[in-house]
Amino acid sequence: EHINIYRDTLTDVSEGRDELIMSGQQNSFMAKLDNGAVSYGAAADTQQSQQEITSACLDIIRQISFVVYLSLLIQAVGNGALEPRWLGVWILLLLGLYIDLTELTTAAFPLLNAVESALRILDKPQQADIVESSPLDSSSGHILSAENISFSYSEGYPVFTAISFNLSKGESMAVRGDSGSGKTTLAQLLLKFYPSDYGEIALFDTPYSKLSADIIRSYFSASVQQCHVFSDSVRDNFTRLHPGITDEQIWQALDTACLGNDIRIMPMKLDEPMGENGSRLSGGQRNRLLTALAIASDAPCLILDEPTDGLDKITGTRLIENIIAHIHQNGKTLILITHDTEAASKFPRKLLLSQS
């Protein structure tokens, strides 16, 4: 069991690394992974010891059986029940069986491990703990600003150049652009996954260059492309990223993301398993779950990357309206990344990106 939990935890850390970093839970989850490694090592040592003891016992049984069988053959030759010329044939047969049994015992342990691995799908990983972040002076200036920022993955091939904007608390902005124009890359710069090549991004007038990534991300909740959905339940996905969240708050976030009714009709509701990276959800449901996970955060800045992707027009419109109501009610600053012209039209401020 320890081995299975550690294996699943390690997989979730690998696949969901960006989500844990953005939520500020990576340190506590890594501590949990370290504890899992200790348990894994102890369990592996115990399993190895058990296998060695079992192998030794089987060897003793085989040796005794060989001696008993050989004694019976010799006795049979002595009392005339077996002709001496057949003794060698029976001994060779006995040696063949002995070797086959030895190989069968060796193969038994990997077979048992394979069976246990096949039955581990529904095992539940542990939950993450709370990590505190240091606050900035929120009374100073704009909550978020960018001044002539440029970025390129390869020198001489800029994704975008000279982007500037500033947002105060409670303001929202739609970021539009064609595919490849750098919309998601901009979100990753704001979350400090990459530094800008030129220009400066600032949080409460404090340049990013003077802030650690952990401090910056503590002020953001985000749903960006390729976000990971953990394999366990709906509730577990929320509690991993937002320790201490209540079921009522989870339902509120799900309803805001237009997913609450979908979850309510599932057999296990909040305990419904999501499957590997949300494989048990449709594309639109998975996207709305990621939106709900971002909305559930208390962080003052919210970044949503294509939240209406995969939704019909009616659901997409209702989702945008719910998001707008949510940020107004909670005084959050929103950056909405979208290619949806109608969705973008609902925001007073817009940033248009074009391919460089």
Side-chain angles (χ1 to χ4, degrees), residues 2 20 29 53-54 63 85 105 157 172 205 250 257 267 272 282 303 306 310 327 332 355-356:
H2 290 292
L20 292 170
F29 208 76
I53 293 172
T54 302
Q63 297 289 351
R85 61 193 178 95
T105 302
Y157 298 93
S172 58
D205 291 342
I250 293 175
E272 188 76 18
S282 69
I303 299 177
E306 302 288 2
I327 63 172
K332 292 183 178 181
Q355 291 183 333
S356 300

Side-chain angles (χ1 to χ4, degrees), residues 4-14 29 32-33 36 124-126 230 240:
N4 294 336
I5 290 176
Y6 177 68
R7 185 185 293 115
D8 282 350
T9 304
L10 184 61
T11 299
D12 273 344
V13 168
S14 175
F29 208 76
K32 177 194 160 205
L33 184 62
K124 294 186 177 181
Q126 303 292 325
F230 293 98
R240 283 177 186 267

Side-chain angles (χ1 to χ4, degrees), residues 305-322:
D305 190 357
E306 302 288 2
T308 60
D309 192 30
L311 303 183
D312 60 81
K313 184 176 180 179
I314 295 176
T315 304
T317 299
R318 184 157 55 92
L319 174 61
I320 294 299
E321 292 174 350
N322 288 354

Side-chain angles (χ1 to χ4, degrees), residues 12 15 64 73 99 113 131-132 147 159 185 193 246 261 320:
D12 273 344
E15 295 293 333
I64 294 175
L73 287 177
I99 293 173
N113 289 336
V131 174
E132 297 181 352
E147 186 68 29
V159 178
T185 299
F193 281 103
T246 65
N261 290 337
I320 294 299

Side-chain angles (χ1 to χ4, degrees), residues 265-310:
I265 64 175
M266 292 181 177
M268 300 177 68
K269 297 180 173 59
L270 293 182
D271 293 316
E272 188 76 18
M274 295 292 92
E276 183 178 354
N277 200 15
S279 60
R280 298 186 62 178
L281 299 173
S282 69
Q285 288 175 327
R286 185 183 183 280
N287 210 26
R288 280 177 284 164
L289 175 59
L290 294 172
T291 299
L293 289 169
I295 288 173
S297 172
D298 293 329
C301 297
L302 177 62
I303 299 177
L304 298 178
D305 190 357
E306 302 288 2
T308 60
D309 192 30

Side-chain angles (χ1 to χ4, degrees), residues 31-337:
K32 177 194 160 205
L33 184 62
D34 291 340
N35 293 334
V38 173
S39 299
Y40 172 85
D45 290 342
T46 300
Q47 185 182 57
Q48 181 65 28
S49 298
Q50 292 174 345
Q51 290 180 357
E52 291 175 354
I53 293 172
T54 302
S55 295
C57 292
L58 291 175
D59 283 338
I60 293 173
I61 292 173
R62 285 195 298 269
Q63 297 289 351
I64 294 175
S65 299
F66 183 82
V67 172
V68 170
Y69 189 79
L70 184 60
S71 298
L72 292 175
L73 287 177
I74 293 174
Q75 183 178 356
V77 172
N79 58 27
L82 180 66
E83 296 183 16
R85 61 193 178 95
W86 290 106
L87 178 61
V89 175
W90 283 103
I91 290 177
L92 289 175
L93 177 61
L94 175 60
L95 288 174
L97 290 173
Y98 182 84
I99 293 173
D100 287 342
L101 287 174
T102 301
E103 294 178 349
L104 180 61
T105 302
T106 303
F109 294 113
L111 178 62
L112 290 175
N113 289 336
V115 171
E116 290 177 359
S117 297
L119 297 176
R120 70 183 176 85
I121 297 174
L122 296 180
D123 286 350
K124 294 186 177 181
Q126 303 292 325
Q127 295 181 355
D129 299 319
I130 294 176
V131 174
E132 297 181 352
S133 300
S134 301
L136 291 175
D137 181 9
S138 59
S139 63
S140 60
H142 297 103
I143 189 171
L144 186 65
S145 60
E147 186 68 29
N148 292 321
I149 60 171
S150 301
F151 179 80
S152 60
Y153 290 104
S154 301
E155 187 174 356
Y157 298 93
V159 178
F160 49 70
T161 58
I163 291 178
S164 298
F165 64 86
N166 55 71
L167 292 169
S168 298
K169 182 179 180 181
E171 285 192 306
S172 58
M173 179 176 70
V175 179
R176 291 187 55 219
D178 297 330
S179 297
S181 60
K183 300 187 300 295
T184 299
T185 299
L186 175 60
Q188 292 173 331
L189 262 65
L190 295 177
L191 295 167
K192 206 174 181 178
F193 281 103
Y194 305 104
S196 59
D197 295 337
Y198 304 99
E200 185 67 78
I201 305 173
L203 186 64
F204 293 114
D205 291 342
T206 303
Y208 268 31
S209 57
K210 296 182 179 180
L211 297 172
S212 69
D214 287 342
I215 295 299
I216 291 170
R217 291 166 191 159
S218 69
Y219 287 86
F220 285 90
S221 59
S223 170
V224 297
Q225 290 183 13
Q226 306 304 319
C227 274
H228 179 71
V229 173
F230 293 98
S231 59
D232 212 344
S233 67
V234 176
R235 179 186 286 107
D236 184 72
N237 272 273
F238 279 91
T239 56
R240 283 177 186 267
L241 303 182
H242 312 298
I245 191 172
T246 65
D247 284 3
E248 182 181 357
Q249 291 170 323
I250 293 175
W251 284 117
Q252 186 176 6
L254 290 171
D255 286 335
T256 301
C258 300
L259 187 62
N261 290 337
D262 293 37
I263 302 300
R264 287 185 179 92
I265 64 175
M266 292 181 177
M268 300 177 68
K269 297 180 173 59
L270 293 182
D271 293 316
E272 188 76 18
M274 295 292 92
E276 183 178 354
N277 200 15
S279 60
R280 298 186 62 178
L281 299 173
S282 69
Q285 288 175 327
R286 185 183 183 280
N287 210 26
R288 280 177 284 164
L289 175 59
L290 294 172
T291 299
L293 289 169
I295 288 173
S297 172
D298 293 329
C301 297
L302 177 62
I303 299 177
L304 298 178
D305 190 357
E306 302 288 2
T308 60
D309 192 30
L311 303 183
D312 60 81
K313 184 176 180 179
I314 295 176
T315 304
T317 299
R318 184 157 55 92
L319 174 61
I320 294 299
E321 292 174 350
N322 288 354
I323 292 171
I324 292 174
H326 170 78
I327 63 172
H328 286 165
Q329 181 180 357
N330 295 276
K332 292 183 178 181
T333 297
L334 169 66
I335 295 177
L336 180 80
I337 298 172

